[in-house]
Amino acid sequence: MKIIIIGLGNFGRSLALNLTDNGHEVFGVDHKMEKVDLLKDRIANVVCMDANNELAYKVLPIQQANLGIVAIGENEGASIVTTAILKKYKNLRIVSRSLSKIHDTILEAMGINDVIHPEQDAAFRLTKQISFNYALDYFRVDNKHSIAEVFSPYSFSEKSVKSLQLTQKYSVSLITVIREIKNSISFNEKSKKKVIGLVTGDTILQKGDILTLFGSNKSIMNFLKDQLTNND
């Protein structure tokens, strides 16, 4: 995918590097030369220009790009103007960083559906890491629901999913199971973790399984607390 990122501060720079590492062709834009210099040898291309100058966009492959990300984090007005300019390119999907609730309202009025809040999202993730202290990982679905990966309790080993009554007891749903698959041919090769697919009521859980659960944040935290208490 060909992606244009405008604004190469800490967030935009990290995004550019991560997307490049994932195989995307990234074009970075910033009006400060020192930020451009930091990325000139690390992403596909980087340009020093004023993103509020519509004529300057002629130097960008914007007609061929798939995605435009407005990552400006210092100037709300500049971010809005940049988004408005990108909006003229009908081929481009736009993701815009919001800096305030008013900014949210303006972007919504402009018809921008993909709005990001890096600081809020980072704070949310840290909160969940603290709250979901014994979860391996989680994905936020909305403000009240998450998908979390947790170690299967020892008491679940060799039991069927149906017998555990996860929905009835904990108000969580088991989406899938990640299981360690040992190589029976080579003793030297390390075992690998694989998703076993959709679970049924007859699926038997094994020691070392990782459960992928969906539920409200409160339900998942209650499940974790209950398992922690039972294992003490």
Side-chain angles (χ1 to χ4, degrees), residues 7-9 13 28-41 45-50 74:
L8 300 176
R13 183 167 61 251
V29 177
D30 202 281
H31 70 287
K32 293 183 178 180
M33 196 64 206
E34 59 267 27
K35 293 182 179 179
V36 168
D37 285 340
L38 288 173
L39 289 175
K40 64 182 181 181
D41 297 321
N45 204 351
V46 63
V47 177
C48 183
M49 65 173 243
D50 178 8
E74 300 173 351

Side-chain angles (χ1 to χ4, degrees), residues 28-184:
V29 177
D30 202 281
H31 70 287
K32 293 183 178 180
M33 196 64 206
E34 59 267 27
K35 293 182 179 179
V36 168
D37 285 340
L38 288 173
L39 289 175
K40 64 182 181 181
D41 297 321
R42 305 183 68 184
I43 64 176
N45 204 351
V46 63
V47 177
C48 183
M49 65 173 243
D50 178 8
N52 282 181
N53 179 359
E54 191 170 353
L55 296 176
Y57 284 75
K58 293 179 180 179
V59 303
L60 299 177
I62 203 161
Q63 295 291 356
Q64 293 78 42
N66 308 102
L67 178 64
I69 302 176
V70 182
I72 297 170
E74 300 173 351
N75 189 322
E76 195 168 298
S79 176
I80 292 168
V81 172
T82 298
T83 303
I85 293 173
L86 290 180
K87 194 77 168 64
K88 294 182 178 182
Y89 296 90
K90 304 300 181 183
N91 62 297
L92 202 65
R93 176 189 165 199
I94 301 170
V95 175
S96 190
R97 178 182 187 177
S98 176
L99 305 176
S100 69
K101 290 184 177 180
I102 293 176
H103 198 170
D104 278 346
T105 302
I106 294 171
L107 291 173
E108 183 180 350
M110 294 170 67
I112 304 300
N113 297 318
D114 297 312
V115 178
I116 51 177
H117 309 84
E119 292 81 5
Q120 291 180 30
D121 291 344
F124 178 89
R125 190 165 185 83
L126 179 58
T127 300
K128 287 296 172 287
Q129 284 176 341
I130 294 170
S131 300
F132 292 4
N133 197 23
Y134 293 91
L136 296 171
D137 200 2
Y138 68 91
F139 170 76
R140 172 185 178 181
V141 177
D142 59 24
N143 288 332
K144 295 183 179 180
H145 299 84
S146 296
I147 295 171
E149 290 183 357
V150 304
F151 279 122
S152 180
Y154 291 121
S155 60
F156 285 12
S157 297
E158 306 306 324
K159 291 184 178 179
S160 70
V161 172
K162 178 171 54 181
S163 69
L164 296 172
Q165 297 184 306
L166 295 174
T167 303
Q168 295 90 330
K169 289 182 178 179
Y170 305 103
S171 297
V172 297
S173 299
L174 179 59
I175 300 173
T176 192
V177 173
I178 301 171
R179 180 167 292 166
E180 190 174 46
I181 307 296
K182 294 183 179 179
N183 192 317
S184 58

